[in-house]
Structure formats: C-alpha cells, structure tokens
Amino acid sequence: MAWTRKILRVDLTKGTCKSEPLNMDWAQQYLGQRGLATKYFVEEVDPKVDPLSPANKMIMATGPLTGTMASTGGRYSVITKGPLTGAIACSNSGGYFGAELKFAGWDMIVVEGKSPKPVYLSIENDKAELRDAAHLWGKTTWETEEIIKKAHQDPQIRVSSIGRAGENGVLFSCIVNDLHRAAGRSGVGAVMGSKNLKAVAVRGTEGVGAIKDPKAFMQATVAAKKVLADNAVTGQGLPKYGTQVLMNVINEMGALPTRNARDVQFEGAGKISGEAMHEKRPTDGKANLVTNNACFGCTIACGRISRVDQNHWSVVNSPKYWGASGGLEYEAAWALGAAGGVDDLDALTVANMICNEDGMDPITFGATIGAAMELYTMGVLTEKQVGIQAPFGSAQAVIELTRMTAEGRGFGKELGLGSKRLCDKYGHPELSMTVKGQEFPAYDPRGIQGMGLTYATSNRGACHLRSYTVASEVLGIPVKTDPLVTDGKADLVKAFQDATAVFDSAGICIFTSFAWSLADVQPQLASACEGEWSMEKLNEVGERIWNLERQFNLAAGFTAKDDDLPQRLKTEAAKTGPAKGLVSGIDKMLPEYYKVRGWSKAGVPEKETLARLGL
Amino acid sequence: MQKSLYIDANKCTGCLQCEMACSYENYGIFNPAKSRIKIFDFEHEGRKVPYTCTQCAEAWCLLACPVEAISIDAATGAKVVNEATCVGCKVCTIACPFGTVNYVADTGKVQKCDLCGGEPACAEACPTGAITFVDSDWTGFDKMRAWAGKTDNATRASA
C-alpha cells in the first residue's frame, strides 16, 4: 500500500490542523508526490490566483516509496503556484525531511490561508500544531533548525524552513531542509513566507509498514540497487565528483552558458569543476571537497560536503562558514560561476552556502547576477546603482550581491525579483535568460538542442529536471542522440517528460534514471503499492500528470507564445566549440512536439488526448 | 569462527539503509526510530558515523540485569535480550557505558543489537562497505593491510 492514506490539512488563517483520508482513487491515477499533489492543487486552487495571496495553497507531498528501502526513497515535493513564474511550481528535495514526514504517518501536508503572525508547524506523529515563531522570524534556515531542535529537546527532529529570503519575498527563495537540501525552484519559499509559515518541524516514529508484498519489494529494491551500483554514472561518476562531473564535459561540448549566454564555453571551467574540488589548494594544502554525502535511502551519494580555506577573503571574518557544509552541485557552480564568468571556487562555495543558509535558488540567482553583470558591463547599471563594482568575472561582486539579496539590502532587493523583472526594468528584456520567467540552467540549447525544447516546454518554467535529454544527447542514456540536431528531439523530450513525472511522483530521485529506466522502477512500485502498476499504466500516469500541469498553466493564462526561448539563443550563434555557428532550432522542434503530444498548433491538448488520459 | 560488526565510518554516506534494514529485520517495518544501529551526523565536520553495540566480552548490561533477561548467544557471541523475561526496568541502559541498549516505549522492553542471529541485516544493506561483518579476531585486518601496503619496499621504490 505504501501510502499512509492520511493527509494533514493546515488552515493558517483559522489556525487549525486536521487529518483527512487520502483520495485513493486519485492515488491510483496520479501515484503520489508531484502527480497526486498537483491533482489536489488543481482541484482546490483557482489557476488565476495571486501566488503570494492567502488564496494560494502550498502542498508538501511524499511519494509511495518515500521512507522505504527503495534507493533514494526519501524525496518530497512542494507544489504551489510559483511567484517567479505564475505557473505550476513543483520543487523536489532530498535530505531526510520527506522520509520523516512519512514516518510520522502523513502522505502530504496541504497548507492554506495565511497566519496572522509568524508560526511554525510542529508535527509529532499524529499530533500536529501551530506554534509561535516570532523568535524565529529573521533567522536563517540554519539558526531556525538549531533553535527548534533545542526548544523541543529533540536532536532527531527534521526541519524544513525558509530563511530571510523567503520572509523578504525573494521570488526565487526556496524551502531548505536538513541544512543544505532544498525544494529549490520557482520561489516556493516566498509562498511559505507570504503565509507567515516559518518552518515545518517533524518527528516521526511510526515508520512505513504497509507494503503490499514485502518479500517481493525487498527483492525488487535489492535488484534495483545493484543496477545503480554497477552503472558507471551512478556507481562511480556521481559518488566521486557529484553532478560536478559535468562541468568539464559540458564545457568541452560548447554547451556551458557563459557570461549570461554571450559565450558557450568558459575558460575558467576547469577551476570550478568537480576535479578541482578534489585538488589540494596551494593556500592551505586542503581540498575543497571533504566527502560525498547521501540523502535518505540513497545508494548513489552524489551530494558534496565542502570546506573552504579559513583564510579565503570571503570568510576571513566569518567563522560560521569555516566548517564543513553543503558544497557545490553542478548547477550552482555554473550559475554562481560561469554565468557571471567567475572562477574562484571557494568564493562560489561560500555564495552557495549563503544560498542554503538563507534559502535562495542558486540557479535563478546566479543567472540573475549574470544578467546584472551584463547590464553593468554595458553601462546600463552603474556602480552607484548597484552599490559595488559588478563586472563579469568579479568574485567579490558575487559574494557581496549574495549577502545583499539574502538580507534584503540595497540593490539586493532588485536582484531578489529575478532577471526577468530586472531586465524589464532597465529596458533590456532580451537579456533575461528565462522561459516563463524562470532562468534556464547549465546547458546551452545551442550546443544541446534537446534542452532548448526541454526549457521551452517545461511546465514550471525553464528547467533541466523535467526532461533531462542531456542523458541521451551527452551520455548516451538510454541511447545516444546527436546533441547538435533537432531531429527526433520532440519524441525524446516527450518520453523523458512523461517518465520523469513518474519518478517525481514515486518518492525517488530522478538521478536514479541515469541507470534506471521505468522498467527498474515498476517492480518496486508494483510490489509496494496497492493496485496494478504495469509499465503501460505508469507511462499513462506520467503523460496524465504532464497534461494536467499543462492545463493548469493554460488556465492561468499561458499560451504557446510562452513556450519560447530567449532571443539570444535563437539569433546569436555559438561562437566557439562543436556547436560553433549554431542557434537553437526551437522553432522547428516545437510544432513537432505539439503534434507528438496530441496538442493543437496553439499548444492546447486536443479533446481526444484528454479523453484518452481521463482528464 | 566468531564474527563482529566492523565499522569504517569514513565510508559512511548517511543513507540510513542500515537503520531501515535493522527495523525491517526486527519489526517488519521501515522505521529508523526502531533501529538498533544509529548513524550520527557531525555535519560541521562532514562526518557520518554508524554506531551500535560492540557485544562486550564482559557485558555490563548482562551483569546489571536483575532478572537475567540478557544472555549470550553461544553461536554468535551476541548479548541477546529475551523479551519474555525483560521487565523494562532499564537498569541495563544505565549500566551500558556506550548507550547502545535502549528502552522501547511501544513494547515496554529494552532492545539492543543481537547480530540478527549471525547475519546482520545492516551489514547486508550497507551500500558502501562502511558496515561489514568480519572475523572477530581480525577486525584490524583491513587497516593492517592498508598500512602493509604503505610500508612495502616496492611501493616506496616506485613512488
């Protein structure tokens, strides 16, 4: 059965916490986590809602495999309408919080309304209550976690919270759990902040016991773990280098968006790469990387734990950054580094720590700094306006702008709105590297064509994690496709999107899909979950979830015009590398994609498509 | 040959597969709260450390128990709690210098690692080899081997 069959409904306006039975009919159609929470959200929330109003809701949802021995089975997602995009937001996080929520006996928490004053939600198994958080408001996520654990005299509590960025309405603020794992994108932290909800603290001791066929489940999980261990990416590359294994690879391919996508290769990539994190610093003889790290249940362990040189200029007076802490993932290293042309590894590590500490999405934030640096370089922004010098390549600027944005000071307030609003304000909308208002991450669509279609059609705004065609176009998983051509990418993107929706709804990490196909997930779900879970059904569930999200966005006011890439990617050819001379072929891929999806030329799902999916 | 759990904390990633395996083996449920092995996270040092009962030869928990509910499994050397006899007085939890015997409110008894009768589920589940089950008389074998490699003349010559 795997679901706890219980949801916790928290009405912040009234100050109530109530238990409800999970809608098992919906669970059979949408599985859990991303899919099931989206179904609840779509049923309960007006698509036109102002994301930061009390009428918006926020759902924290686990999947049926969360809190089990399935590898990586510790995920939860936050579903809401995103303030950065105005689209459906669905941000996925690891760490230990998701499993703890499940162990407390809850499949999901539906948060609605707005508290009249700052509160935090305290959950101890079936006991849930709202507690005063006046003393926590203004604190970082790190401080919040520590204070709550001390107050409850329970070091085993797991905490998910917002930092000052979420309180201050930074439109790309995230929700951080276990110090450095985050539901990162689309500004879900700002939604939480708008509701005066500072944190959710959970202690669960009931466990997950309702597995349909425990013996078959254990066999299935053991077999699937072996697949991960035997795979070169999940068994070797990710544990050793983390996602940072990609920095040099993508740079070589000429697909590393550099200096706000002016360039596709970064001369400093080697200095901020996964390999560089292993090298001993000349200054103190120690490596940036301390160790790798796993989230709950994960047998890959791609997480990075880093320590910077105590004498590095960025931390010399800040002992709180001297200890080991969450290190750079590829996206963060790219965004805080290459996107602004910065190659100081320790400075980027510190900027990333501040993002964890105060809850900011380093992808959108780094890309926004990149856009600001371009405006500065053009003379549109001045030192007086920014408060500091901010040319491309300045590590000092990255550190100072990160502090200013996290704390809501000066020009940081403008950066906190993301690159779209920033570039609009200063008369250069074309310099915002966004789709649906959200910055695209570390793969340049000129060098990896499938990622252009991925970004353009992602339901939560530009994102790599909705259809990671890099797996196919770069790594050859499951089959190698040519990154420089558009042919076949529509089918590829659809297949990845639908499969990803299933992974995201099951309670497991999408990184397993470097080694696992749906065929590896299916036996785990089928033995754990009540009902029939065939490959055919799972594929249909994935496609159903994708179309449901699409319908929400259409009802929210998005049209086919929003399925587009920044002008730069379509008109300014890559200057160097294998993709030299190429622009994105998005205009060719998009009509093909609509057709493959069973959508009209206007990007609207046809009646037959909806009927087939039961929508 | 008797075997012992051998823990190499350097290899631990903090995935908690061992905790789930332990609770599943003993209670048929995935529940770290009921695990007899525990992973400790020294987050500011970047260290994760598995910790459980070392099965002391002179077991103070066993000596302290007023109702003789803790006995030695002759096959494995494990100190095992007999739940039928245990009265939940918790004296053993005080006697144990390492904190590895703990009270379980649900059952009203204490629990500790019993080496799963000779096939510890935690070692089986550990994906990194941080927890292994090795010859009790040679728990130092891997360390010796590593140092032996460093003191070998051939290695020095090629270095």
Side-chain angles (χ1 to χ4, degrees):
Chain A
M1 278 142 265
W3 299 277
T4 69
R5 294 170 169 255
K6 258 171 44 187
I7 70 171
L8 176 63
R9 187 173 293 274
V10 178
D11 186 328
L12 291 167
T13 308
K14 293 183 195 152
T16 57
C17 301
K18 285 182 183 155
S19 171
E20 277 177 25
L22 185 73
N23 186 320
M24 289 308 292
D25 290 338
W26 289 354
Q28 288 296 322
Q29 293 168 52
Y30 295 94
L31 193 53
Q33 203 176 346
R34 173 176 164 187
L36 188 52
T38 302
K39 176 63 175 169
Y40 269 89
F41 188 79
V42 166
E43 290 288 332
E44 296 185 14
V45 179
D46 176 0
K48 301 271 189 202
V49 73
D50 171 357
L52 298 179
S53 72
N56 193 10
K57 297 190 185 185
M58 182 188 100
I59 303 179
M60 292 175 142
T62 66
L65 298 183
T66 306
T68 72
M69 277 183 84
S71 185
T72 77
R75 312 294 300 190
Y76 81 104
S77 290
V78 179
I79 284 79
T80 186
K81 182 172 173 179
L84 184 71
T85 56
I88 190 88
C90 170
S91 300
N92 184 309
S93 182
Y96 302 97
F97 177 86
E100 196 74 17
L101 181 60
K102 191 86 174 277
F103 293 144
W106 304 101
D107 287 314
M108 57 172 90
I109 311 170
V110 180
V111 178
E112 51 195 44
K114 177 183 178 176
S115 170
K117 60 184 178 62
V119 290
Y120 73 98
L121 173 62
S122 170
I123 300 172
E124 191 189 316
N125 293 333
D126 54 354
K127 253 188 0 200
E129 59 183 357
L130 293 166
R131 293 187 174 212
D132 181 55
H135 63 299
L136 298 173
W137 210 253
K139 302 289 186 201
T140 67
T141 65
W142 295 354
E143 291 164 339
T144 299
E145 187 166 329
E146 192 181 341
I147 293 168
I148 289 176
K149 284 177 176 176
K150 271 194 185 143
H152 289 257
Q153 294 189 44
D154 188 350
Q156 300 193 70
I157 285 177
R158 306 291 187 184
V159 178
S160 222
S161 67
I162 55 168
R164 290 173 293 183
E167 295 176 7
N168 295 336
V170 168
L171 292 181
F172 46 84
S173 51
C174 36
I175 300 173
V176 176
N177 56 282
D178 306 291
L179 302 179
H180 43 241
R181 307 310 311 185
R185 301 219 70 191
S186 314
V188 296
V191 173
M192 191 157 156
S194 76
K195 298 187 172 308
N196 270 331
L197 180 62
K198 177 67 180 176
V200 179
V202 185
R203 182 77 200 286
T205 61
E206 292 181 2
V208 172
I211 298 295
K212 184 170 78 179
D213 182 345
K215 202 175 161 197
F217 180 69
M218 292 302 270
Q219 280 171 354
T221 57
V222 167
K225 280 175 216 171
K226 186 166 187 311
V227 173
L228 293 178
D230 291 347
N231 181 279
V233 178
T234 52
Q236 294 161 35
L238 284 174
K240 178 156 189 198
Y241 295 111
T243 53
Q244 272 275 62
V245 69
L246 288 166
M247 182 63 75
N248 286 320
V249 175
I250 302 295
N251 191 48
E252 285 297 309
M253 289 189 66
L256 190 69
T258 300
R259 287 174 285 267
N260 205 33
R262 279 184 171 188
D263 299 300
V264 294
Q265 288 183 309
F266 180 38
E267 63 286 354
K271 291 188 188 168
I272 60 171
S273 66
E275 289 83 348
M277 290 170 73
H278 277 271
E279 284 166 16
K280 285 180 181 166
R281 286 179 290 250
T283 46
D284 66 352
K286 292 175 184 161
N288 174 282
L289 185 75
V290 176
T291 183
N292 67 330
N293 190 50
C295 293
F296 182 93
C298 175
T299 57
I300 303 172
C302 75
R304 304 290 92 183
I305 299 294
S306 285
R307 190 189 282 128
V308 298
D309 182 351
Q310 291 183 14
N311 291 312
H312 188 268
W313 54 266
S314 63
V315 297
V316 77
N317 294 315
S318 307
K320 69 172 165 171
Y321 303 118
W322 291 357
S325 189
L328 290 166
E329 316 288 335
Y330 171 58
E331 308 299 334
W334 161 78
L336 298 165
V342 177
D343 65 5
D344 183 331
L345 183 65
D346 271 7
L348 303 185
T349 305
V350 172
N352 189 56
M353 285 181 190
I354 299 171
C355 284
N356 288 335
E357 185 189 17
D358 264 312
M360 299 197 292
D361 165 20
I363 299 179
T364 281
F365 180 51
T368 300
I369 295 177
M373 283 178 165
E374 181 158 18
L375 291 168
Y376 185 92
T377 302
M378 290 161 67
V380 177
L381 282 173
T382 63
E383 183 178 347
K384 198 173 166 220
Q385 284 167 305
V386 180
I388 52 166
Q389 294 183 355
F392 280 128
S394 170
Q396 284 78 7
V398 168
I399 290 289
E400 186 51 26
L401 292 174
T402 306
R403 291 200 173 117
M404 286 162 73
T405 309
E407 293 162 18
R409 279 192 286 120
F411 188 69
K413 285 183 200 158
E414 297 194 35
L415 288 177
L417 303 178
S419 71
K420 184 171 185 299
R421 288 160 180 87
L422 182 80
C423 294
D424 280 353
K425 178 174 174 180
Y426 291 98
H428 288 277
E430 77 284 2
L431 295 184
S432 169
M433 296 300 123
T434 50
V435 177
K436 298 181 180 71
Q438 180 157 286
E439 289 70 9
F440 69 76
Y443 314 88
D444 197 298
R446 291 167 291 199
I448 306 175
Q449 291 287 333
M451 290 309 280
L453 187 59
T454 288
Y455 297 159
T457 60
S458 162
N459 286 328
R460 67 165 180 174
C463 170
H464 57 300
L465 293 171
R466 286 299 173 273
S467 46
Y468 194 70
T469 60
V470 173
S472 167
E473 297 178 273
V474 180
L475 304 168
I477 302 166
V479 284
K480 184 78 173 79
T481 53
D482 185 345
L484 301 179
V485 305
T486 56
D487 293 345
K489 296 299 161 66
D491 287 292
L492 187 71
V493 165
K494 178 188 179 290
F496 270 69
Q497 285 173 339
D498 293 349
T500 300
V502 176
F503 279 76
D504 288 347
S505 301
I508 55 175
C509 177
I510 190 60
F511 287 3
T512 56
S513 70
F514 286 116
W516 290 353
S517 70
L518 265 189
D520 296 290
V521 181
Q522 187 269 338
Q524 302 183 72
L525 283 171
S527 54
C529 302
E530 179 188 310
E532 290 301 315
W533 294 93
S534 63
M535 285 294 289
E536 196 185 6
K537 178 170 170 178
L538 288 175
N539 279 311
E540 190 184 280
V541 165
E543 191 177 1
R544 182 180 295 126
I545 293 166
W546 192 266
N547 279 273
L548 183 71
E549 292 172 341
R550 176 72 176 184
Q551 283 183 297
F552 179 87
N553 285 349
L554 292 172
F558 287 94
T559 68
K561 279 187 192 147
D562 299 299
D563 298 336
D564 204 359
L565 295 178
Q567 202 59 27
R568 173 166 280 171
L569 303 178
K570 301 200 292 178
T571 57
E572 296 177 28
K575 292 174 197 157
T576 60
K580 187 176 176 181
L582 283 184
V583 293
S584 167
I586 183 64
D587 294 336
K588 183 167 176 294
M589 291 184 283
L590 192 64
E592 290 171 16
Y593 171 82
Y594 285 170
K595 210 170 155 191
V596 171
R597 273 263 169 237
W599 295 354
S600 73
K601 284 179 181 159
V604 178
E606 302 281 9
K607 273 186 191 151
E608 305 81 70
T609 306
L610 295 177
R612 179 168 57 79
L613 297 169
L615 286 166
Chain B
M1 175 179 70
Q2 219 163 68
K3 285 184 150 190
S4 293
L5 285 173
Y6 176 65
I7 288 170
D8 182 351
N10 280 326
K11 292 181 179 167
C12 179
T13 61
C15 74
L16 310 194
Q17 285 279 342
C18 56
E19 294 194 14
M20 281 185 288
C22 180
S23 67
Y24 181 76
E25 175 74 20
N26 292 297
Y27 299 97
I29 189 170
F30 301 122
N31 189 359
K34 286 204 157 66
S35 172
R36 297 162 184 186
I37 186 164
K38 206 79 199 141
I39 305 302
F40 292 87
D41 188 352
F42 299 90
E43 60 250 11
H44 300 300
E45 299 161 41
R47 292 196 301 136
K48 314 256 184 180
V49 184
Y51 201 74
T52 189
C53 175
T54 57
Q55 315 294 346
C56 305
E58 185 183 313
W60 292 8
C61 59
L62 182 153
L63 298 174
C65 180
V67 293
E68 296 183 7
I70 299 176
S71 58
I72 301 174
D73 180 329
T76 64
K79 312 303 173 293
V80 180
V81 177
N82 181 349
E83 279 209 3
T85 316
C86 174
V87 295
C89 74
K90 312 181 196 67
V91 169
C92 57
T93 70
I94 300 165
C96 173
F98 308 107
T100 53
V101 195
N102 282 283
Y103 181 65
V104 184
D106 282 357
T107 58
K109 315 284 180 183
V110 297
Q111 69 165 357
K112 68 178 288 300
C113 172
D114 59 5
L115 298 177
C116 297
E119 289 176 32
C122 54
E124 180 70 29
C126 179
T128 63
I131 307 166
T132 49
F133 195 51
V134 303
D135 184 344
S136 291
D137 293 350
W138 284 102
T139 51
F141 193 84
D142 279 355
K143 267 188 211 165
M144 282 174 78
R145 192 176 191 281
W147 282 103
K150 287 180 192 175
T151 50
D152 175 69
N153 284 333
T155 314
R156 204 178 302 159
S158 67

